[in-house]
Every structure is written in C-alpha cells, then in structure tokens.
Amino acid sequence: MNLAVWVERHGQRRPRDPALADGEHVHADWGTFAARTAAVAGSLCEQLGLSPGDRVAIVMHNRPEYLEALYAIWHAGLVAVPVNARLHRDEVAYILEDSGSAVVVTDADHADVVGSLVDSVASLRTVVVAPGERWDRLTGWSPMRLVDRRPDDPAWLFYTSGTTGRPKGATLTHRNLLLMSLSYFADIDPVHSQDSVLHTAPLSHGAGLYGLPHVARGAVSVVPQAAGVDGDEISALLRRWPGMSFFAAPTMVKRLAGDPAVAAADLSDLKTIIYGGAPMYLADLEEALAVFGPRLAQIYGQGESPMTITALSKADHADREHPRWRERMQGVGEPRTDVEVRVVDDDDRDLPTGEAGEVVVRGDVVMSGYWNQPEETAESLRGGWLHTGDIGSFDAEGYLTLLDRSKDVIISGGMNVYPREVEEVLLRHPGVRDAAVVARPDPQWGEAVVAFVVPAEGETSPTVEQLDQTCLDHIARFKRPKDYRFIDALPTNNYGKVVKRELRETLRTEADADGPND
Ligand code: AMP
C-alpha cells in the first residue's frame, strides 16, 4: 500500500475540510492537498524524469509545502529524504550524496546553499524552490495516478541525528510507517478528523513521522508561524484548532511548561503532548504535569524503529496512586503493541528482570536496513533483532527503564556508572538547571565521572560541596563526579539533544594539553 492513498481518499470524501494550515489560516483543504499532491507527482515523473524508487530530498523549514512535497513524492512512488534544514552545508551535501538524491525541494531560505550543491553532488539534477514560480508550475501539472507500492518499498530515508558519528540513512518502508501509524492509535491516542497536529519540531524528524497518523485520520496539520516554540502562538492556535496534539523534545516541554503564556492559557483544547527522543528528567516532568495535567505521553524510539519501541501512556502518567509511580516516570514505559522488546547481554542472551543490558527490538516497524550500508545493517539487525545501542532493564511489571546509550556508560574503577542516574540526582538541586555527565580518561580509575552543570537562573550557583552532598544523599559514593564544570549552556544538536561527544572532546583536549584538571 502506498501511504499517499490517505491524502487521495480524504480529497475525495471531504474535499472542503481543512487539511493544511499555516498558523491560523487554512493553507489547503483536502481537495486542494490531494490535487497538488497528484500534480507535483506527475511533474516529478513526467517533467523531471524521475522513476519509482528514485530519491527526492526535502530541505526546508516547517511549512505546509513540506507536506505537499512529502506526499507528492510518495504518490509518485519515489523515496523521500527529509533533511534537517538546520544542518551545515557539508552535512546536507553528505546526505544528498549518500542517498543519491536526484531532486531537492527546498525553500527560499535554503535555496542558495542547496543550489550551490548541484555541481558537487553527482546525483543531483535540479532544485525546486517552494513556494515559488517553479513550485507553481509543478502544482499546476496534470495529475498522476497513485503509483502502486509494495509494503517493502522504501518510503523515507531517515538520517539519524548523529550525536555519535556520521548520520546513516535508516530505510523506512511503507509497511514500517503504516505500522508506526497504527500503533500510535493503539498505544498513544485515537485520532479523529476534527483533531489537529501542531508541527513545532522539525518535520524531518519525530514531528514529521507523527504527522502520519494524523494525516491517516484526516486531522488538520498545522505549521506554526513562529520558528520554534512560542507560548503565545500555541495558546492562540489551540483556540483555532482544537483537539491538538504535538510532539516535543523534553527540552521543549520544559521550556513550554515555564512559559507564562502557556500557564495562563485555556488548555482544554490540548489533547496530547508526546515527548521523547531524549531523557525527560523527573523534576522537569513533575513541573510539566503540574502545568499540562494528564496530557503527556512519552515514547521511546529511534530512527531505526520510528517512534515505536515503548510508550509511557497518558494513563500511566495519571496513575499517581501507583506505588512505584515515581520510578515509572523515570522509565520509558511498556513495549508497544507491534514490537517485541528484550534486554540482552553481549551474546544476545536474555537477561533476568532488573538486570541491565542492551535493548533489542523486533517487529514490522523496524527499518529494512541502512541505505547502502550492508555491513552496518547486518551488524545492527543481527539475529533478526534491531540492536538499539541503548542500555535498559525491565521491572517485574514489564516496564522498561533506560540507563543510557551504551557508548555513554562510564566505567570507573571497574564499576558501571550510568550518567542518567547522576544527572537525575544533580537536577534535584534547586540551583541546577541542566546537567550532563560524561567520562574523562583517568590513569587511576580508567574513566572518571565529570559533571557539566548549568546553574539555574535567579538562584545562587551551587557549590561543589553542595552538589557532592546531594549525590552522597542519593547515590553510591563511586558514582559521585570527581570534577564539576559550570557552564552557561549544554551543547545540543539541531533536535535539542545534548551532544556529549563535544563535552568529552573538551575534556580530552584538556588532557592532551595536560590542562589544569589532570
Ligand atoms: P534518533 O534515532 O536520533 O531519534 O535517536 C534515538 C535515540 O534517542 C534512542 O536510541 C535513545 O538513546 C534516545 N531516546 C529516544 N527516546 C527516548 C526516551 N523517551 N528517553 C530517553 N532516551 C530516548
């Protein structure tokens, strides 16, 4: 099945209902969305000479045309390569080259950068700027019939956000994305045609993926006009587009929860905030629950198993009477309906409840492989299970807690220290806004625990002694940081995830230079 059938069907059944919105304004009804999708598809094939299976990249900020391009690409049987628009030119070039993209759909803000790559990226034939004259010609082309797709045909090359190395293109098929959408209905929320989805986060990542279940059910896709998260605009959009859900990284949820415009808003039209993609610390979650009430659901997934490994449902968040509610809130919830999830040792043997090991996943939502990387694919999918690289453990009720990425675990004096646990404790101190814990090579201990701490605004910066005491009050002595660094902000990538690699590099450079702390 071709996922673009959803747009075609809503176009037939409810042509005058709103489909795409630019802030409060309707950009296209379903009839128009379906007509543009079929026309752009026709133009991509007949005018630009593409054939099913060819790749078309999208490099643009969130805007309604993004969704028109995405569904047109699928309508024509092509493969979409959504690229994070905030990436550096060389990173964009790398993804275009790796995916062999033949066409890029971009916007005016990125037209120069993308245009400059036509000569250097061998596969790239042309660049289309949307909105614009050329885009108008594409949308005015004669409509094309929906191209038949098999379940295993690739639909989306999802380039991993690269907190740990060169991005790789997880190949997501039509079946993968269909399963992702169906299990959203099973585990997160049912969606109705009167609902809306707000795209506050980049469409090239989680927000774009979770747009799919909403398009499937005929809800309105709303693109805010302010770049990023603006509490005032969200309050206004809630009134205009009720039944609203959106996906947000934990850092975004934290920012919104602290926004006075959100605190003052009538949230009765807010349906669900789905957060995930990085750890949500308990202290932040409690603040968010106080503002948003039982409207939060957490998902744990990765590009390779799009948005779908486990979920902590809205009901779990609301179940405060549960004796282990706090522990549950620090975890990532139960396996999703459409996947099997295990925790295994280095030889892929199951570990008992409570023991930490690598999280592995199997199911029809799991990618078919990395684009053009047979060795990496075989390694990652060995034995038919996706090896996530995340370390976690199950409790007796089958809820999973993530300890860390395996690459982030610190081994100090032969003992494993999971940075997340130390970060949770540091964040309990009122003088700490953000914390990231990493390893520094250490001649005595192998690795030493180092904490980067961002002091809270308006509070006096905590002292090393106070932080030490907070750690001693809650965790084993050997987990306590050997060194604290106070900084203004943690380095984050374009999706708001903390890039620990950069913090480790800072420490390594200092060690190489025999710096003050060694
Ligand atoms: P990406 O493929 O870029 O979306 O990154 C996926 C990785 O983000 C996962 O393998 C986890 O390490 C992390 N991650 C995703 N969701 C969560 C979550 N709910 N809690 C903690 N870490 C998460």
Side-chain angles (χ1 to χ4, degrees), residues 158-163 170 205-206 209 247 250 275-280 298-307 309-310 330-332 388-391 402 404-406 408 420 493 495 497:
F158 183 102
Y159 277 82
T160 54
S161 56
T163 42
H205 207 73
L209 288 167
F247 172 77
Y275 66 91
M280 169 69 109
Q298 182 188 180
I299 58 102
Y300 156 51
Q302 54 177 206
E304 293 83 344
S305 184
M307 313 299 278
I309 299 175
T310 62
Q330 284 172 281
V332 291
T388 61
D390 292 317
I391 304 292
L402 283 190
D404 257 294
R405 301 280 305 156
S406 53
D408 289 338
R420 164 106 191 239
N493 70 10
Y495 295 112
K497 295 194 194 202

Side-chain angles (χ1 to χ4, degrees), residues 237-401:
L237 292 178
L238 273 174
R239 286 192 297 275
R240 174 71 173 93
W241 303 113
M244 179 180 283
S245 299
F246 60 90
F247 172 77
T251 43
M252 244 194 230
V253 176
K254 182 176 174 172
R255 212 172 326 138
L256 276 179
D259 188 324
V262 172
D266 172 7
L267 297 178
S268 53
D269 286 322
L270 176 64
K271 189 170 168 186
T272 308
I273 300 177
I274 306 108
Y275 66 91
M280 169 69 109
Y281 298 102
L282 185 61
D284 297 339
L285 180 58
E286 289 193 299
E287 269 178 50
L289 282 168
V291 174
F292 296 112
R295 296 187 176 86
L296 292 157
Q298 182 188 180
I299 58 102
Y300 156 51
Q302 54 177 206
E304 293 83 344
S305 184
M307 313 299 278
T308 313
I309 299 175
T310 62
L312 197 60
S313 66
K314 290 201 277 191
D316 288 327
H317 284 80
D319 185 15
R320 285 186 185 250
E321 298 307 312
H322 191 282
R324 299 184 62 249
W325 182 81
R326 286 176 70 85
E327 284 93 328
R328 271 197 179 174
M329 293 304 109
Q330 284 172 281
V332 291
E334 298 182 88
R336 300 290 297 276
T337 301
D338 57 333
V339 288
E340 295 165 88
V341 183
R342 292 160 58 214
V343 167
V344 298
D345 67 11
D346 291 344
D347 297 317
D348 282 352
R349 284 182 304 231
D350 284 304
L351 286 168
T353 301
E355 272 193 42
E358 183 169 11
V359 179
V360 297
V361 186
R362 184 167 71 176
D364 279 348
V365 73
V366 172
M367 67 164 183
S368 59
Y370 291 115
W371 186 253
N372 277 341
Q373 302 217 29
E375 279 165 28
E376 303 253 12
T377 301
E379 169 65 16
S380 167
L381 296 179
R382 59 187 185 276
W385 290 78
L386 170 69
H387 289 66
T388 61
D390 292 317
I391 304 292
S393 69
F394 275 114
D395 71 10
E397 290 171 300
Y399 279 64
L400 184 72
T401 295

